[in-house]
Amino acid sequence: MKITFLGTGTSQGIPIIGSDHPVCLSENPKDKRLRVSVLIEWEDYAYVIDCGPDFRQQMLRANCKRIDGIIFTHEHSDHVLGLDDIRPFYFRQGDISIFAHKRVLKSLKKRFDYIFKKENKYPGAPSVHINRLKNASFKLKDLDVLPVNGLHDKLQVFGYRFNHFAYLTDMKSLKNKEVKKLKGVKVLVINALRLEPHRSHFNLKEALEFISVVNPERAYLTHISHLLGFHEEVEKTLPENVFLAYDNLQITI
């Protein structure tokens, strides 16, 4: 399984528009972060988790020519606004599979009503094949995927475990029974927004505490804001098995 970090930034990305913050002015490519998303590939399959407003740019940068589907964590704009840009995939492949909680699907139908229309549909609009997720294992081709249920402040959000790999973002709290789903995972990706506490995201301290509970072989931090600091400086402070993810990073499991 190959994982490509398409974006590792928070909702505004880095640099933030108009910001003079030193991290936003950094010339280090690892300090430039698009909105958070990953591409997961195994055998001949390719799935994307979330498609935010940078989706088109991310697909071009990754030279991605086919996707088998998009899996959504939740409905916030930085995770869904690129849905219209599935059109090139749709024109080549037909209906694109999407996987999401019923509440997320309801939000997508409202925001992208023209995609979900059944009658008098605009001919240039893409179409999707809907898969409604519950907090139970589901199949992606030959792979069992296990949702991990958490809270983003008070909003339900899904993380996902793919065998030895788990991807969680926008988490603030998880019940013990959900954390137990991560037992034995080899590679964990988890959000770490900044140094200061935040109402709806793990900060760095909370993310490291969570990693120590799960105890993976390796962990990668994502959904990072400029307030976490410079990539190179933060990396030096982390435990030896914990790394800052960055855009275009590829790992193999």
Side-chain angles (χ1 to χ4, degrees):
M1 179 177 285
K2 183 173 75 172
I3 312 298
T4 303
F5 288 86
L6 301 171
T8 56
T10 186
S11 57
Q12 297 182 84
I14 304 174
I16 293 174
I17 294 171
S19 175
D20 292 326
H21 188 281
V23 174
C24 291
L25 299 177
S26 171
E27 296 183 2
N28 185 347
K30 292 181 181 179
D31 285 322
K32 300 182 187 301
R33 304 180 184 275
L34 300 180
R35 266 60 74 94
V36 68
S37 178
V38 289
L39 172 66
I40 301 175
E41 299 172 280
W42 73 98
E43 297 176 5
D44 294 325
Y45 307 130
Y47 287 86
V48 175
I49 299 183
D50 291 333
C51 62
D54 302 314
F55 180 70
R56 174 183 175 275
Q57 181 180 354
Q58 291 166 340
M59 292 292 94
L60 289 170
R61 189 171 64 178
N63 194 30
C64 187
K65 297 180 179 179
R66 176 186 172 84
I67 57 171
D68 291 286
I70 300 172
I71 311 156
F72 290 97
T73 59
H74 64 298
E75 66 271 36
H76 282 170
S77 293
D78 54 322
H79 298 259
V80 306
L81 275 190
L83 185 59
D84 183 77
D85 284 322
I86 64 172
R87 283 183 294 155
F89 296 114
Y90 166 72
F91 295 149
R92 289 194 297 268
Q93 301 172 212
D95 292 10
I96 303 300
S97 293
I98 61 172
F99 302 78
H101 186 279
K102 64 179 181 179
R103 185 199 70 250
V104 178
L105 292 170
K106 182 178 179 181
S107 175
L108 292 175
K109 289 177 181 179
K110 182 177 180 180
R111 300 174 81 166
F112 299 94
D113 61 311
Y114 61 94
I115 291 178
F116 294 86
K117 256 189 170 184
K118 297 299 183 183
E119 298 180 359
N120 301 317
K121 186 168 181 172
Y122 179 70
S127 296
V128 295
H129 176 68
I130 297 171
N131 298 269
R132 190 171 76 177
L133 300 183
K134 298 181 179 180
N135 192 13
S137 178
F138 64 98
K139 281 273 191 185
L140 290 181
K141 304 298 183 182
D142 59 344
L143 184 68
D144 288 317
V145 180
L146 184 62
V148 181
N149 204 34
L151 288 177
H152 179 38
D153 191 15
K154 297 179 181 179
L155 180 71
Q156 180 275 341
V157 59
F158 274 148
Y160 299 98
R161 177 173 182 170
F162 304 76
N163 199 358
H164 295 302
F165 172 73
Y167 180 87
L168 283 71
T169 187
D170 291 56
M171 292 287 182
K172 180 61 178 181
S173 61
L174 297 91
K175 293 183 178 179
N176 286 336
K177 66 179 181 179
E178 299 297 320
V179 179
K180 288 179 180 178
K181 292 179 179 180
L182 300 169
K183 183 179 180 181
V185 74
K186 292 182 179 179
V187 178
L188 172 68
V189 178
I190 187 69
N191 55 291
L193 186 73
R194 63 189 192 189
L195 298 176
E196 294 296 318
H198 189 274
R199 64 179 292 175
S200 60
H201 287 276
F202 283 157
N203 66 355
L204 179 59
K205 180 175 182 291
E206 291 165 334
L208 293 176
E209 289 172 349
F210 185 78
I211 292 166
S212 68
V213 170
V214 176
N215 194 30
E217 291 179 5
R218 288 179 286 157
Y220 294 85
L221 305 178
T222 194
H223 207 289
I224 293 162
S225 84
H226 63 296
L227 298 176
L228 187 61
F230 292 103
H231 181 99
E232 298 293 348
E233 292 181 3
V234 176
E235 273 257 292
K236 295 174 184 177
T237 71
L238 299 176
E240 62 179 10
N241 68 327
V242 180
F243 310 90
L244 282 191
Y246 55 88
D247 290 18
N248 295 323
L249 171 65
Q250 291 187 339
I251 60 174
T252 303
I253 302 166

